[in-house]
Structures are given as C-alpha cells and as structure tokens.
Amino acid sequence: MSPDMIYFMKVNVAILFFYAFYRLFFYNDTFFRLRRTTLMGLLLVAVVYPLPDFSGWMKEINTVTEAATVYSTMLPEVIVSAGKTTAAAPEGWLLQSAFLLYLAGVAVLGIRFAVQLGSILILSVQCKTARINGVYVHLLNHPAGPFSFFHLIFIHLPSHTEQEVDEILTHEMTHVRQWHSLDVILSELLCTLFWVNPFVWLLKREVRQNLEYLADQTVLLSGHDRKSYQFHLLGLANQKAAANLYNSFNVLPLKNRIRMMNKKRSHQIGRTKYLLFAPLAALLLMVNNLETVARVTTLPSDIQPTDSVMPEVVVVAYTPTDSQPAVPANDNQKKTVQKNEPKIMKDTPPREYNGEKVFTKVDQMPSFPGGDAALLQYIARSIKYPVESQRAGNQGRVIASFTVDKEGNIAQLELVRGIEPLLDAEALRVLSLMPKWTPGVHKGKVVNVRYTVPITFRLQ
C-alpha cells in the first residue's frame, strides 16, 4: 500500500472516530465557543496527526517497545508498486478506476467551491453599499436570505422591518467579528478532499450549526425578544439563498437552533470534559508512531540493534506472463552490479567517515526531505523490479546501509544482505540517487549518522 493511501486511510478513520467522539461527549451542551474550538481541533488533528515522527523518542521507552512487539503481529506491510515493468493485474485496474473516480469527485467539488466563492465576490461588486446602524452592508437587489462572508454582509432591506434588520445585523456581525468564515472554508475544503467519507460531511454540518448557535446566543444576550426572534427565523425559512458558501441568518435546520435557544444552560462543571481532547490527540500520535517502532522492533537479527532503521518497504510485482517481453536491466543497473557485485558486509559498520565519528543514535536524527512518508513516495516512484529477476523467480529482502554525512549527502552505501545481483543493484541504485537529507545533530553539532534500510522484493 502506497504512503499516500496509508495517509488517506488514517485521516478518514480519524474523522469517523472524531465524529463519534464529538456526538458522544459534546453534542447536547451549550458551551458553543468550546465546541467551536474542539470541532476545529478535531478536523486539524485528523489531517495532521499522521505526519509527525516521534518514533526515535518512543523507541527509548521500554513499555512502548513491548507494545510495538504485540502491535507488529497485526501490522500491514508498506508496499510500493514495482513500476512499469510489472504485469497488469485486475486488482490494479480496479484500484486505478477507484482512484480516478475519487479524483473526479475532488475536481467536481473543487469547481463547485470555486463557483460559490466567485458568486459571492461578484455579488460584492454588483451590490450597492450602505451604512446601517454603523455597519456597512451590501444591498441585495432581489428578495433573498441575508448572509455574511468574512467582513461582507448582504441583506435585502425591503424584506425586513427595522427590528428585524437590527436582529440580522447583530447575528451577522457575530460571524464577522469571530471569523466564522474560516471554519466554513476549512470544513468545505476537507469535504472536497475526503468526500468519500460520509462522516466528514456530518462534521461539516456540526461546524455550520454550531456557528449559528453562537450567533443566535449573541442576539439573545443583546436583549432581543426570544419568541420574536424565533418567529423571524421561521418567516425566512423558505427564502431563496443568494449564495451557498456563507454564514447564513436562516440556515436550516431551524428546529435544532430553536431547541438550543430554549435549552437550559449547561452546568459549568461540564467544561472539564473538553480536556479529554488533549489526551485523545496524544494517543493518536502515539499509535501512529507505534507503527514505525513496530517495524523496527521486528526486523531480522542480522541488522545490528544499534543501527537507525527506516520502515521496511515491500516491492510487489505480479509474475510476468509468457506474452510479456523480457526487459533487460538498464545501463545503470549493469554498472551498479559491476560496482557492487555480490558484496555482503560481514564486518562491523563503518565507524568513521572523512576522519570523523559515525553515530547510530543522536539527539536529532537525519530526515529525508518531507519525512518518512516522502521517502516511501520517492522509493515508490524510483524503484523498478527487473523483469529478468521476475522471470527467474528471484525475490527476498535486500538490506542496505549508508551514512548521512554532515552535509546531508549519502555516503558509504553498502550491502548488508543481498539476494542476487540485479535486485541488489536496483536497491542500491535507488538509495544512491536519494536527494540530500537534513543532517543529524548531536549535542548541538552536526554529525555523521549511519542508517539501515530493508527493501523486500516479492512476487505474486
């Protein structure tokens, strides 16, 4: 499974989990400001939590290592495609079709978002402006429901009494002052990117409704009559909207808004339950990094325990059919074979490079540009499973080791354990062409650091 797909699945599982968490703990209280912060936090954590890498720190904790050993029994392998040299499989076509369908959905929703945004901007140019009760508003030239977007407020004055206009302005100025449009845009973008997940749409609905609860609360606290305000909302329920991407005065469903306005205020002690969000986010980060720790914990014994080890990559190719023409190894592979011919490093790893010590554990480990996920993407794009090796049925694990020097260059690239010349050469070729890393730091100084990477070639 590719790193992008792993990330996509993790985000979608987190969204499902967070929606259930929100409904269970926060759905019925009246702490609308806390609910807004929590909803935005849930969405942001769902998107960001798969990215940070704390595995180096976690490996130092014995209880985490023990948990990783148990977790490894159910850990899926990180798999990358063997590239253009592999035979096509029905499952591959199915995945490609599903991916194209997903991209089509993202494109359609992206266009919809752009059209909605454009319609608001066009309205802001076309409509005349006026200052009412000290507030600048854009005057709609046809009957439509009032709404706001960032600092823009739109209203059709002939449709409302003076009291109703005052209620509308109080409501919409709450959206403006508290920057509610940022929440709207974030939830819309997440729905565009993860549209296949129904729970992201449900979270979007909760975000929009909670913003209306906040604005309604402000109207009532400013002294407006509760029943008069609710009848005003009911009177606007069937008005046609002038745009869709906005904070709306009369957004549906009104039933929930009226219920919240009439609901008894929650006890202040109930605020403490919002503290649950912090340990929940920390738990997700730990579980996400537990995967990397588990992969390292279960590596074969011929990898020295003091080495810094990257997540294992499994390169899968389908056994080619007789109709598939044999593709010889390219020049780069042949040259690499000649240079690194069956060479297995049996001695201890290099302890020095350019006369300076090579470390295996440092305070700040070197990092591939973009992190482990980007490294796996690089391998997925670059590696090729030689067809000659496929036809010969050659498969197994290649283990290579290299040093990330003080400038971030790849040096002292060696084969720890090989399979056969072509597969060994392909693994070494891809690793040798890696871009510069961010070098490691130990006790405030940039140092050389030794890394080990296992790459498994497998036929199906």
Side-chain angles (χ1 to χ4, degrees):
M1 187 177 295
S2 71
D4 290 338
M5 181 60 71
I6 292 173
Y7 171 80
F8 184 80
M9 291 180 63
K10 285 181 176 180
V11 172
N12 279 283
V13 169
I15 288 173
L16 184 158
F17 180 67
F18 281 155
Y19 178 74
F21 175 72
Y22 173 82
R23 292 283 298 197
L24 179 63
F25 289 101
F26 312 123
Y27 181 68
N28 281 318
D29 65 40
T30 59
F31 305 120
F32 303 130
R33 290 180 184 274
L34 282 174
R35 284 172 66 171
R36 180 194 180 192
T37 302
T38 301
L39 281 166
M40 288 298 98
L42 293 175
L43 292 175
L44 290 173
V45 169
V47 174
V48 172
Y49 91 93
L51 302 178
D53 185 1
F54 303 126
S55 57
W57 168 73
M58 290 173 61
K59 281 186 288 186
E60 305 298 325
I61 305 175
N62 291 333
T63 54
V64 173
T65 304
E66 293 172 3
T69 303
V70 176
Y71 178 67
S72 64
T73 61
M74 54 183 177
L75 186 66
E77 295 167 320
V78 177
I79 299 175
V80 299
S81 168
K84 295 182 180 178
T85 62
T86 60
E91 294 86 352
W93 286 109
L94 183 61
L95 288 174
Q96 288 182 2
S97 300
F99 181 65
L100 291 176
L101 178 62
Y102 163 75
L103 289 181
V106 171
V108 169
L109 290 173
I111 293 172
R112 171 177 169 267
F113 178 84
V115 169
Q116 291 175 349
L117 184 60
S119 66
I120 294 175
L121 296 178
I122 291 172
L123 274 177
S124 67
V125 174
Q126 292 178 342
C127 294
K128 297 179 180 179
T129 59
R131 187 178 178 89
I132 304 173
N133 297 343
V135 178
Y136 282 102
V137 299
H138 289 73
L139 304 177
L140 297 171
N141 54 17
H142 59 276
F147 67 96
S148 63
F149 186 73
F150 286 101
H151 68 284
L152 305 174
I153 298 177
F154 298 83
I155 185 172
H156 183 247
L157 282 179
S159 299
H160 310 286
T161 65
E162 184 176 343
Q163 178 183 344
E164 291 173 344
V165 169
D166 189 41
E167 291 173 350
I168 291 170
L169 292 180
T170 303
H171 181 102
E172 299 303 335
M173 282 304 297
T174 303
H175 291 313
V176 171
R177 293 192 185 100
Q178 298 180 11
W179 293 83
H180 290 178
S181 294
L182 289 177
D183 303 41
V184 173
I185 287 180
L186 176 60
S187 61
E188 287 286 347
L189 289 176
L190 288 180
C191 283
T192 299
L193 293 175
F194 303 103
W195 63 270
V196 295
N197 188 341
F199 294 96
V200 75
W201 295 94
L202 293 173
L203 275 174
K204 170 192 167 181
R205 183 188 66 183
E206 298 300 332
V207 169
R208 298 291 291 267
Q209 285 193 355
N210 189 65
L211 296 178
E212 298 309 315
Y213 297 158
L214 273 168
D216 291 340
Q217 186 181 56
T218 302
V219 173
L220 297 182
L221 290 175
S222 65
H224 291 280
D225 181 70
R226 185 186 308 271
K227 288 187 177 180
S228 173
Y229 178 62
Q230 292 173 0
F231 278 118
H232 182 195
L233 290 175
L234 290 172
L236 293 173
N238 295 319
Q239 280 202 0
K240 183 180 178 181
N244 293 317
L245 188 66
Y246 54 68
N247 298 292
S248 175
F249 180 76
N250 61 321
V251 70
L252 296 176
L254 288 174
K255 179 180 178 181
N256 287 340
R257 290 175 61 183
I258 293 174
R259 179 175 63 85
M260 279 297 176
M261 280 187 267
N262 296 328
K263 185 178 177 63
K264 184 179 179 181
R265 300 299 94 178
S266 302
H267 293 292
Q268 293 300 310
I269 190 65
R271 294 174 179 270
T272 56
K273 65 184 177 183
Y274 284 86
L275 297 175
L276 292 172
F277 177 61
L280 177 66
L283 179 63
L284 271 179
L285 287 170
M286 181 171 291
V287 170
N288 178 60
N289 283 269
L290 192 64
E291 178 180 347
T292 303
V293 178
R295 293 190 187 282
V296 173
T297 303
T298 57
L299 285 172
S301 59
D302 52 1
I303 296 182
Q304 298 201 15
T306 57
D307 283 351
S308 303
V309 187
M310 291 186 292
E312 180 175 9
V313 180
V314 181
V315 184
V316 174
Y318 293 91
T319 305
T321 62
D322 292 337
S323 60
Q324 181 182 3
V327 179
N330 57 39
D331 292 338
N332 287 336
Q333 286 174 323
K334 290 179 180 178
K335 291 176 183 177
T336 312
V337 171
Q338 293 172 0
K339 184 178 179 181
N340 301 282
E341 248 174 3
K343 174 186 176 185
I344 300 180
M345 186 181 69
K346 295 183 179 179
D347 299 327
T348 58
R351 299 303 179 190
E352 288 190 354
Y353 177 70
N354 287 342
E356 297 185 356
K357 182 179 178 180
V358 174
F359 292 80
T360 55
K361 292 183 179 180
V362 293
D363 298 334
Q364 182 178 327
M365 298 300 296
S367 61
F368 186 87
D372 283 348
L375 173 60
L376 295 176
Q377 289 176 347
Y378 162 78
I379 295 177
R381 290 193 304 266
S382 305
I383 205 159
K384 302 290 185 294
Y385 201 131
V387 173
E388 291 178 6
S389 300
Q390 296 179 44
R391 291 192 180 282
N394 293 327
Q395 58 182 334
R397 176 184 278 140
V398 175
I399 301 174
S401 184
F402 59 88
T403 298
V404 180
D405 70 13
K406 296 168 66 173
E407 284 73 42
N409 299 311
I410 303 302
Q412 297 178 315
L413 177 60
E414 295 180 287
L415 195 65
V416 178
R417 188 177 77 185
I419 308 170
E420 55 92 17
L422 280 178
L423 293 179
D424 299 347
E426 179 61 12
L428 292 174
R429 179 188 71 84
V430 172
L431 295 177
S432 68
L433 296 176
M434 287 190 293
K436 280 191 174 185
W437 288 44
T438 300
V441 178
H442 191 62
K443 296 182 179 179
K445 295 182 179 180
V446 178
V447 295
N448 306 312
V449 182
R450 193 71 181 166
Y451 255 95
T452 298
V453 56
I455 300 177
T456 295
F457 292 88
R458 179 183 301 164
L459 293 172
Q460 289 187 354

